[in-house]
Amino acid sequence: MIVAQRKPFAEIKDMLQGYNKVLNVGCGTCVSVCLAGGEKEVAVLNTELEMARRLADDPIDIQGHTIERQCDREYLAELDSIIEEGGFDALLSMACGVGIQFLAERYPHIPTFPAVDTSGLAVNQAVGWYEERCRSCSQCVLGSTGGICPITMCAKGLLNGPCGGTNKGSCEISSDQPCAWFRIYERLSGQDRLDAIKKINTARGWKNQTPRNLIQPGYMKPEKMAK
Amino acid sequence: MNTETHVASGSNLEKVLRSGQFAFTGELGPPRGTNADEVREKAKFLKGNVDAVNITDNQTAVVRMSSWAASLIAIQEGLEPNYQMVCRDRNRLAMQSDILGGYALGIRNMLCLSGDHQQFGDHPDAMGVFDIDSIQLIAMVRQMRDEGLFLSGTEIHQPPKMFIGAASNPFADPFEWRVHRLAKKIEAGANFIQTQCIYNMEKFRKFIHLANEEGLTEKVFILAGVTPMKSVGMARYMKSKVPGMDVPDEIIDRLKGVEKEKVAQEGINIACEQIEEFKEMKGVHGVHLMAIEWEHMVPQIAEQAKVLPRPVFS
């Protein structure tokens, strides 16, 4: 899933300086699961903001509404009437970096601010602990690396590792960070598949240097949205 | 060693190695400023005592005078540079243009490295580029030289003919993989290898034995890395703080066993004993002496290691 972390409170408070009627929009999917931006987090943040602004003698009218997914028009639509009738002078989004952009695009006349920092695609290691596993590079090499991503898990993103800095199974940057290529070696060795990494991975053409559009086979851009 | 595959880079180091002589290379760290005299001062101690000198590239991810600029100063001082290039700081465009420029101005050797992670250095929040990795860099320099093509496949007008070096750390985990990694670097196009500093001789013998068995030492020149210990503190630091470094306790014990003012000499003695063994070791073709911030001791070490005079080619 996509994981995110709430921004420091002071940063959120500063962004909303000068705005007095705000709708905080939560997202019920990824950021809700990773405890950053679901219904509960919207309520907590709103309470904190109300208190802080009241103490500063600058009260704010902040409301909350959490939709299923901010990255999907179908769910965003339910905000139309709320926003139309609410007279908000700003929107706060607790969705990931994708969701907030769809929200901002739908209501372009209202300033929209992020309440979370999106950090990536991660697995749920334990409650509240998420570990990044994919950089969505658009050219998956996991088949030859034993299901361990060197782009994400190697601090240098090496395609031909491990480098000389691998340190008793850890990365040179920290003993807490496992060396991806050490793990790749161990796993492939256990599968008797070391040949998979004996051949050189040649320089790759990076496919994530421009915005990517993805259209599944058999589908096309709706005519009204195509240029 | 296969002397037929002539690269003809015009490199002195290449000539020494291909003539079957035991090579001796040194190292010079560029200054953290613009004073060219700092490079010249260090170069003075290396000239005539080494076949080529590695010019480090922002080593330990700390900003220094660029490796190619310091390489050019070394050339002016009559030293042959081994231009180090790391993958951390530049993308394939910048790398190729620096290679063209460096070659145009007289650089003939390159050492292709991944580079220490930026988190180690003085700009820990910098973006690490790593557009290509060290093995891909080796392959790129080889392609530029042998095929006359940029990485993109387009033609180079007067391609750079570099003598291509790579690093090898026989002590990093997993040990069993190290020889395979060496094989990949050779396949990519490495002509010579400079190893990580060696202290654990037993492990290194094992590594070279494996490399010999795989026939790798027939395909590449191997220069064993040597760094004399200056103090017990340095030995302890290398053992515990430097990733991928293997310092056996017996080295530390030996340094501790002599009077304080004789520790540095004992470090040099250890290094020279190692060099003596490397001279006789099958599969080792030379020594790379990394006398870190100890360049002024190189003449004495070279003398004691009996590697002088260095070969001269007309």
Side-chain angles (χ1 to χ4, degrees):
Chain A
M1 69 179 146
I2 298 169
V3 297
Q5 191 168 31
R6 203 183 88 176
K7 280 181 174 289
F9 180 71
E11 187 182 342
I12 299 172
K13 188 170 153 267
D14 281 355
M15 280 191 292
L16 293 180
Q17 201 62 49
Y19 297 101
N20 303 315
K21 189 160 190 200
V22 175
L23 178 66
N24 184 357
V25 185
C27 182
T29 308
C30 310
V31 290
S32 189
V33 178
C34 73
L35 313 174
E39 200 169 356
K40 193 174 132 214
E41 291 76 27
V42 167
V44 170
L45 177 57
N46 285 4
T47 306
E48 285 179 59
L49 282 165
E50 271 168 355
M51 280 173 60
R53 290 281 288 261
R54 205 180 313 135
L55 283 172
D57 216 12
D58 177 25
I60 185 170
D61 173 2
I62 184 157
Q63 297 174 29
H65 192 87
T66 298
I67 59 173
E68 188 65 27
R69 278 201 292 281
Q70 285 188 35
C71 59
D72 203 321
R73 284 201 179 85
E74 184 188 336
Y75 299 107
L76 277 174
E78 74 182 69
L79 292 173
D80 290 353
S81 57
I82 298 170
I83 287 174
E84 199 174 320
E85 290 155 22
F88 299 104
D89 53 9
L91 299 177
L92 188 62
S93 171
M94 297 199 80
C96 70
V98 170
I100 182 183
Q101 293 193 51
F102 229 19
L103 179 73
E105 184 178 301
R106 192 171 184 96
Y107 310 105
H109 56 289
I110 310 178
T112 301
F113 299 98
V116 303
D117 290 316
T118 306
S119 62
L121 305 180
V123 292
N124 197 344
Q125 280 282 26
V127 180
W129 172 19
Y130 311 95
E131 197 175 84
E132 187 182 14
R133 287 292 171 89
C134 176
R135 291 270 166 93
S136 49
C137 71
S138 285
Q139 36 192 340
C140 193
V141 296
L142 291 169
S144 62
T145 57
I148 297 165
C149 176
I151 302 296
T152 313
M153 304 294 284
C154 168
K156 300 175 186 173
L158 304 178
L159 281 163
N160 297 281
C163 71
T166 174
N167 202 10
K168 301 178 186 74
S170 295
C171 175
E172 66 181 25
I173 63 163
S174 156
S175 53
D176 294 334
Q177 178 62 46
C179 168
W181 277 98
F182 183 82
R183 287 195 169 180
I184 291 168
Y185 172 86
E186 297 271 284
R187 188 167 297 169
L188 290 176
S189 177
Q191 296 173 357
D192 202 16
R193 286 211 301 140
L194 282 177
D195 282 347
I197 51 169
K198 280 184 184 168
K199 53 178 189 287
I200 295 172
N201 265 318
T202 54
R204 61 170 22 187
W206 295 100
K207 299 197 187 302
N208 54 357
Q209 302 298 297
T210 52
R212 287 164 283 180
N213 257 306
L214 189 155
I215 298 167
Q216 300 292 14
Y219 292 81
M220 52 170 62
K221 280 186 186 177
E223 218 165 285
K224 61 174 183 185
M225 296 175 74
K227 269 187 220 154
Chain B
M1 173 59 54
N2 184 1
T3 48
E4 287 99 86
T5 53
H6 255 294
V7 174
S9 61
S11 141
N12 179 61
L13 177 62
E14 182 179 7
K15 286 176 193 157
V16 171
L17 287 165
R18 292 207 190 279
S19 67
Q21 300 180 76
F22 194 76
F24 193 62
T25 55
E27 191 150 309
L28 190 160
R32 299 208 67 201
T34 58
N35 189 354
D37 287 341
E38 286 183 45
V39 181
R40 297 187 209 283
E41 184 65 19
K42 287 178 173 178
K44 208 169 66 188
F45 300 111
L46 293 156
K47 191 180 174 188
N49 294 317
V50 295
D51 302 315
V53 57
N54 287 36
I55 310 291
T56 51
D57 181 14
N58 291 337
Q59 77 267 29
T60 63
V62 169
V63 176
R64 290 169 183 277
M65 181 187 289
S66 61
S67 175
W68 66 258
S71 291
L72 297 187
I73 299 170
I75 292 173
Q76 290 168 0
E77 294 306 297
L79 264 179
E80 174 166 292
N82 180 18
Y83 169 39
Q84 294 194 186
M85 182 182 276
V86 300
C87 299
R88 180 193 58 233
D89 303 334
R90 18 173 118 55
N91 70 8
R92 61 190 76 180
L93 278 88
M95 286 173 145
Q96 291 177 100
S97 72
D98 279 353
I99 293 165
L100 296 182
Y103 188 83
L105 294 168
I107 292 171
R108 293 294 178 265
N109 310 294
M110 262 188 80
L111 188 73
C112 305
L113 305 166
S114 304
D116 295 320
H117 196 273
Q118 59 275 14
Q119 254 184 37
F120 284 108
D122 62 346
H123 292 71
D125 298 328
M127 179 190 241
V129 180
F130 301 109
D131 176 17
I132 57 177
D133 65 25
S134 61
I135 289 181
Q136 294 163 347
L137 172 58
I138 295 163
M140 183 172 82
V141 185
R142 191 207 57 78
Q143 177 179 312
M144 291 172 80
R145 181 188 70 198
D146 296 348
E147 296 167 41
L149 300 174
F150 289 114
L151 190 58
S152 62
T154 50
E155 211 169 302
I156 305 170
H157 180 58
Q158 290 187 17
K161 306 278 185 192
M162 291 288 186
F163 189 46
I164 304 169
S168 172
N169 183 358
F171 309 105
D173 300 315
F175 180 71
E176 303 72 28
W177 181 251
R178 291 294 137 185
V179 168
H180 298 306
R181 184 163 169 80
L182 175 62
K184 281 179 88 166
K185 290 193 172 181
I186 295 168
E187 190 193 336
N191 302 118
F192 71 96
I193 299 289
Q194 290 173 318
T195 78
Q196 174 66 285
C197 316
I198 300 160
Y199 298 103
N200 187 337
M201 291 296 277
E202 204 177 312
K203 206 165 186 181
F204 184 71
R205 287 181 203 114
K206 217 161 123 190
F207 170 78
I208 279 291
H209 176 71
L210 288 171
N212 283 334
E213 279 196 332
E214 296 286 324
L216 300 179
T217 53
E218 301 289 317
K219 298 177 186 163
V220 75
F221 298 103
I222 295 189
L223 278 64
V226 172
T227 293
M229 294 289 192
K230 292 189 226 181
S231 63
V232 178
M234 172 181 171
R236 286 208 180 105
Y237 179 82
M238 300 271 261
K239 183 184 176 74
S240 59
K241 296 278 189 286
V242 183
M245 196 72 80
D246 184 343
V247 183
D249 286 331
E250 63 209 57
I251 298 275
I252 297 173
D253 291 343
R254 199 172 144 183
L255 295 169
K256 271 162 55 183
V258 299
E259 292 164 48
K260 208 173 171 200
E261 58 276 16
K262 290 185 178 157
V263 171
Q265 182 55 48
E266 192 63 13
I268 292 173
N269 293 345
I270 296 171
C272 291
E273 287 164 29
Q274 288 182 294
I275 295 171
E276 284 308 322
E277 182 173 345
F278 292 137
K279 285 181 191 168
E280 304 303 323
M281 198 180 281
K282 181 175 181 276
V284 174
H285 310 93
V287 158
H288 176 52
L289 179 73
M290 291 163 273
I292 303 160
E293 293 305 316
W294 225 24
E295 288 85 355
H296 64 279
M297 295 300 281
V298 171
Q300 185 194 322
I301 298 167
E303 186 70 44
Q304 191 180 330
K306 302 190 196 74
V307 293
L308 298 178
R310 299 311 309 154
V312 178
F313 299 88
S314 52

